[in-house]
């Protein structure tokens, strides 16, 4: 009996890493998904459902949340004086605000989580127009992102009730070795920060002539200020209704249709 | 680990003794060999999982895990409203929607905490959680407080989706294994109480269960083995994931980890002047993680593997801003230390202290 329990537990321990490691653009390997199914609930409840992809597959860039807090008159959201000032901009995480380090890291993970679950707005692409499962996943992924984003906005709105709150996702990439050693670009150089747009930029209508290759640091200038900052708003009833309809059973085998955008599986790890 | 290898000699003897005259005898021989081979595996399995072990290693890990749980929960308490309740970064409604399956498959990672809005209740619950963690650390009524600490931590974890990371994975994992073993039998308040209540404990089996002694037990062995295997799984998949990345192959991953401004706690960018060093460290990390599950078992390579673990996780703790995570990974690796060795070490220390005090008396 003890051996059976041990084997069942080990099954749960190994099930999620196997399923997670076999994720591809079309979802997880069907065989690994089936393998994990009997112990899925147990591994989720016992918090054994991890992929263990620490700093992998690449130690990539960091992601932050930039909150812009603007008073209706343009005054500082936290200032007691009415003198007009620039909108207050706060980044999460921020070592000056969150101490001890573990508290900072919790905020860091929140920013990474928001970035990981980001899904662009708009109608599903034509490639999946004929597939109801893929369409449903598309809609759900966007709603998941919007729900978490709105929750973060609500938190900021509660903290700064007089201000208009907007947030952006920032990406902070590391300098390459030549940039750092030869060009003396510091780790926190402004040109290493990018505002990530909510929607992908529109595709050009006509093919552009090939651009000359320029691998100088100047070629990677910071993105223009995003115009699609995400502000507080009430949830739309129609959107909530769609959520009810979208609740379903998971298909055993995913259709061979790309889930756009193609991206790495979600798991926030250090 | 060699104990779980099948006894091939036994299998060979079984076939060698059987006279191979005709098909029937051949079948008998094959059946005998198969039976002997299976029996050897079962024996090895039993030896691996059910050979009683002393609880000393688990007790040390219990102290560290309890303290880390307590610290992590105390840090949350600094801004409890940011993480629990209706006004949290990820509020109750959002957490419930994420886990109930409104955006995909539902999850069994349920927590009653997403039903609680009252700050008073949330504070009361959080203080109870911290108290359970403290009891785990000091080993007070561990038979009850260890499962309680694990359960309350689970409820907290399932409420904190979005702000979790490796630290939470490791501490929750260790808390789970600690609760199934008599981890409070030594280095604990329970051990002190056991001495004080020697008479009643000798007469009452329930009290003897509540305050276990530090003799070898099967449950300590199972908890130790489960934690060891789990750690091997973590490193194996950590290594396999790294092996999918380009920078872990071209040797630059260590640079990009060192150059990550948000992680950095101490400046490690001087490594950039030594490409041979940081690329070698990169390759060593992948090799060590992938082969940890094999090299940590032989006595010959175990010290080297564990020393590398201390170096890698110590580096993460010092330079990459994760003192908590790095420390707990080192603590988790201690599961491979022999409990008998720790017992001898602590007994010798106690004897020495006793001798010193008698000399100064």
């Amino acid at each position: 009996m003890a051996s059976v329990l041990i084997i069942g537990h080990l099954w749960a321990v190994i099930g999620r890493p196997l399923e997670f490691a076999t994720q591809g653009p079309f979802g997880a390997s069907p065989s690994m998904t089936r393998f994990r199914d009997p112990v899925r609930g147990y591994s989720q409840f016992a918090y054994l459902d991890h992929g263990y992809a620490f700093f992998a597959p690449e130690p990539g860039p960091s992601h932050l949340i930039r909150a812009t807090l603007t008073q209706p008159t343009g005054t500082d959201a936290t200032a007691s004086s009415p003198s007009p000032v620039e909108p207050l901009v706060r980044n999460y995480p921020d070592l000056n605000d969150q101490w001890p380090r573990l508290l900072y890291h919790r905020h860091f993970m929140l920013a990474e989580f928001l970035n990981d679950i980001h899904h662009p707005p708009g109608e599903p692409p034509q490639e999946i127009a004929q597939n109801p499962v893929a369409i449903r996943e598309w809609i759900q992924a966007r709603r998941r992102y919007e729900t978490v984003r709105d929750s973060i906005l609500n938190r900021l709105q509660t903290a700064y009730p007089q201000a208009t709150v907007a947030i952006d996702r920032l990406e902070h990439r590391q300098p390459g070795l030549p940039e750092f050693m030869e060009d003396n670009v510091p780790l926190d150089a402004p040109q290493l920060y990018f505002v990530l747009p909510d929607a992908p930029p529109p595709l050009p209508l006509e093919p552009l002539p090939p651009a000359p290759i320029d691998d100088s640091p100047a070629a990677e200038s910071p993105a223009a200020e995003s115009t699609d900052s995400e502000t507080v708003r009430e949830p739309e009833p129609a959107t909530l209704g769609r959520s009810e309809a979208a609740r379903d059973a998971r298909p055993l085998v995913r259709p061979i249709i790309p889930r756009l955008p193609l991206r790495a599986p979600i798991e926030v790890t250090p | 680990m060699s104990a779980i290898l099948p006894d091939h000699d036994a299998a060979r003897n079984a076939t060698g003794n059987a006279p191979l005259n005709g098909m029937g005898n051949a079948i008998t021989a094959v059946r005998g060999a198969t039976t002997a081979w299976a029996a050897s595996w079962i024996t090895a399995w039993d030896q691996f999982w059910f050979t009683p072990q002393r609880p000393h290693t688990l007790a040390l890990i219990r102290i560290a895990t309890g303290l880390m749980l307590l610290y992590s929960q105390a840090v949350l308490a600094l801004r409890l409203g940011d993480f629990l309740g209706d006004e949290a970064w990820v509020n109750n409604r959002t957490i419930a929607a994420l886990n109930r399956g409104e955006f995909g498959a539902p999850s069994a990672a349920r927590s009653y905490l997403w039903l609680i809005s009252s700050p008073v209740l949330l504070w009361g619950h959080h203080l109870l959680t911290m108290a359970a963690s403290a009891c785990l650390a000091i080993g007070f009524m561990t038979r009850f407080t260890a499962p309680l600490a694990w359960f309350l931590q689970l409820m907290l974890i399932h409420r904190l989706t979005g702000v979790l990371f490796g630290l939470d994975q490791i501490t929750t994992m260790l808390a789970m294994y600690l609760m199934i073993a008599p981890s409070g039998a030594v280095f604990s308040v329970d051990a002190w109480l056991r001495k004080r209540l020697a008479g009643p404990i000798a007469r009452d089996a329930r009290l003897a269960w509540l305050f276990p002694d530090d003799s070898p037990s099967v449950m300590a062995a199972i908890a130790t083995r489960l934690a060891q295997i789990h750690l091997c799984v973590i490193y194996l998949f950590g290594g396999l994931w790294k092996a999918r990345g380009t920078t872990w192959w071209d040797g630059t991953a260590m640079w990009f980890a060192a150059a990550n401004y948000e992680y950095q706690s101490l400046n490690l960018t001087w490594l950039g002047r030594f490409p041979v060093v940081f690329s070698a460290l990169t390759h060593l990390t992948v090799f060590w993680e992938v082969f940890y599950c094999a090299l940590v078992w032989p006595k010959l390579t175990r010290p080297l593997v564990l020393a590398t673990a201390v170096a890698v996780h110590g580096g993460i703790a010092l330079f990459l801003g994760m003192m908590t995570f790095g420390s707990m990974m080192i603590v988790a690796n201690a599961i491979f230390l022999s409990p008998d060795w720790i017992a001898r070490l602590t007994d010798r220390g106690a004897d020495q202290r006793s001798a010193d005090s008698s000399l100064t008396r």
Side-chain angles (χ1 to χ4, degrees):
Chain A
M1 182 60 185
S3 292
V4 171
L5 292 175
I6 287 170
I7 290 170
H9 178 78
L10 294 180
W11 188 352
V13 167
I14 198 84
R16 175 55 182 164
L18 278 173
E19 186 186 54
F20 188 68
T22 58
Q23 292 267 359
F26 312 125
S29 155
S31 59
M32 288 301 109
T33 302
R34 292 293 289 270
F35 173 76
R36 187 186 171 217
D37 275 343
V39 290
R40 183 179 302 277
Y42 170 65
S43 75
Q44 288 171 341
F45 180 76
Y47 196 53
L48 302 170
D49 52 337
H50 316 296
Y52 305 119
F54 303 118
F55 288 104
E58 314 283 1
S62 300
H63 297 92
L64 301 90
I65 296 171
R66 185 180 67 179
T68 307
L69 310 159
T70 313
Q71 292 281 38
T73 56
T75 55
D76 184 339
T78 58
S80 53
S81 66
S83 58
V85 291
E86 290 291 310
L88 178 69
V89 176
R90 300 194 62 174
N91 284 344
Y92 298 90
D94 182 355
L95 277 173
N96 295 319
D97 177 52
Q98 295 116 33
W99 186 91
R101 184 85 188 196
L102 181 55
L103 190 63
Y104 164 89
H105 209 80
R106 296 280 181 211
H107 290 81
F108 187 12
M109 292 300 102
L110 178 72
E112 291 287 357
F113 177 66
L114 183 69
N115 181 70
D116 276 344
I117 64 170
H118 176 259
H119 193 88
E123 293 299 313
Q126 283 301 313
E127 291 92 327
I128 62 172
Q130 301 303 315
N131 188 285
V133 174
I135 290 175
R136 186 172 54 228
E137 287 183 352
W138 174 279
I139 294 168
Q140 286 178 335
R142 178 61 188 178
R143 285 205 56 246
R144 176 174 59 179
Y145 168 72
E146 288 178 344
T147 303
V148 173
R149 178 204 61 190
D150 291 349
S151 178
I152 292 171
L153 283 167
N154 283 331
R155 174 71 206 159
L156 289 164
Q157 194 68 74
T158 303
Y160 303 98
Q162 303 300 318
T164 302
V165 181
I167 61 172
D168 291 302
R169 290 176 300 117
L170 295 189
E171 183 166 292
H172 181 194
R173 75 168 179 85
Q174 306 97 314
L177 194 56
E179 275 180 287
F180 184 80
M181 299 299 290
E182 295 163 19
D183 303 328
N184 296 316
V185 174
L187 301 186
D188 58 345
Q191 66 265 33
L192 300 177
Y193 291 82
F194 302 87
V195 176
L196 297 174
D198 188 36
L203 294 171
L205 296 176
E206 294 178 8
L208 297 172
I213 296 172
D214 181 2
D215 55 359
S216 66
E220 295 181 349
S221 59
E225 191 79 359
S226 173
T227 55
D228 59 353
S229 293
E230 297 151 6
T231 51
V232 168
R233 66 168 185 272
E234 291 297 315
E236 299 166 17
T239 314
L240 293 174
R242 202 161 46 188
S243 146
E244 294 295 324
R247 206 174 294 170
D248 71 322
R250 203 160 23 84
L252 292 178
V253 179
R254 289 176 186 276
I256 308 300
I257 290 178
R259 300 165 68 202
L260 301 176
L262 301 180
R263 53 181 299 153
I266 295 170
E267 179 168 273
V268 178
T269 53
Chain B
M1 189 63 176
S2 60
I4 68 165
L5 294 177
D7 185 351
H8 293 293
D9 287 342
R12 276 196 294 273
N13 288 337
T15 54
N17 293 337
L20 299 179
N21 297 325
M23 183 65 76
N25 286 341
I27 291 172
T28 305
V30 170
R31 188 184 298 159
T34 307
T35 305
W37 178 82
S40 69
W41 270 100
I42 290 169
T43 303
W45 171 274
D46 285 346
Q47 282 178 355
F48 182 74
W49 288 102
F50 306 123
T51 302
Q53 289 196 21
R54 299 187 77 184
H56 292 67
T57 306
L58 290 166
L60 283 184
I61 292 175
R62 187 205 77 234
I63 295 170
T65 303
L67 288 175
M68 188 57 77
L69 284 173
L70 183 61
Y71 174 71
S72 172
Q73 290 151 5
V75 169
L76 281 179
L78 294 174
R79 296 189 190 175
L80 200 62
D82 280 2
F83 298 100
L84 301 180
D86 288 332
E87 306 295 342
W89 287 113
V90 185
N91 58 35
N92 282 348
R93 188 166 55 88
T94 303
I95 284 288
L98 285 171
N99 287 284
R100 284 177 179 153
E102 289 186 24
F103 314 118
S107 168
R110 303 299 177 98
S111 170
Y112 51 76
L113 283 175
W114 67 52
L115 303 173
I116 302 177
S117 301
S118 160
V120 174
L121 273 179
L122 287 172
W123 265 108
H125 183 275
H126 200 68
L127 290 174
L128 176 67
T129 306
M130 291 175 66
S133 298
C135 287
L136 177 68
I138 63 174
F140 176 61
M141 303 292 282
T142 319
R143 291 284 199 189
F144 293 118
T145 55
L148 182 66
W150 170 75
F151 178 75
L152 293 174
Q153 166 73 358
L154 263 192
M155 292 300 101
L156 190 60
I157 289 295
H158 292 332
R159 173 59 187 85
L160 293 177
T161 302
V163 298
L164 303 170
F165 66 111
L167 170 69
D168 307 293
Q169 299 174 16
I170 299 302
T171 49
T172 311
M173 174 196 91
L174 291 175
M176 177 164 61
Y177 296 133
L178 290 170
M179 76 171 172
I180 64 174
S183 58
V186 67
F187 312 143
S188 63
V189 174
D190 285 351
W192 179 79
L193 286 172
R194 185 178 176 83
K195 284 180 189 167
R196 302 274 297 188
L197 303 172
I201 285 174
R203 292 189 298 274
D204 191 331
R206 283 171 301 182
L207 277 179
W209 174 84
L210 188 59
F211 301 107
D213 62 23
D214 62 355
S215 59
S217 71
V218 171
M219 290 314 293
I222 293 175
T224 301
R225 294 307 195 191
L226 286 174
Q228 288 172 336
I229 299 276
H230 202 142
L231 205 57
C232 287
V233 169
I234 290 173
Y235 282 120
L236 175 63
F237 282 92
L240 291 178
W241 265 103
K242 287 179 176 65
R244 292 170 72 159
T246 308
T247 55
W248 290 101
W249 282 106
D250 69 15
T252 58
M254 197 62 75
W255 162 255
F256 284 108
N260 189 306
Y261 185 70
E262 277 69 35
Y263 276 110
Q264 186 186 74
S265 46
L266 286 177
N267 188 0
L268 197 62
T269 53
W270 50 266
L271 263 183
R273 292 198 296 273
F274 309 102
V276 173
V277 174
F278 73 67
S279 59
L281 290 174
T282 302
H283 301 315
L284 176 68
T285 302
V286 178
F287 178 87
W288 167 71
E289 285 200 27
V290 170
F291 292 102
Y292 180 100
C293 59
L295 298 179
V296 77
W297 299 101
K299 285 182 179 174
L300 184 67
T301 49
R302 180 178 293 186
L304 195 61
V305 169
L306 296 184
T308 308
V310 171
V312 170
H313 295 302
I316 290 174
L318 289 174
F319 295 103
L320 296 184
M322 287 183 285
M323 185 62 79
T324 49
F325 174 65
S327 306
M328 281 315 295
M329 287 305 296
I330 293 173
V331 167
N333 273 275
I335 196 67
F336 282 99
L337 297 180
S338 159
D340 293 329
W341 179 73
I342 292 174
R344 280 197 303 272
L345 212 62
T346 50
D347 288 349
R348 198 182 304 158
D351 292 345
Q352 185 64 44
R353 279 193 301 276
S354 174
D356 290 347
S357 61
S358 59
L359 280 176
T360 53
R361 220 175 279 150

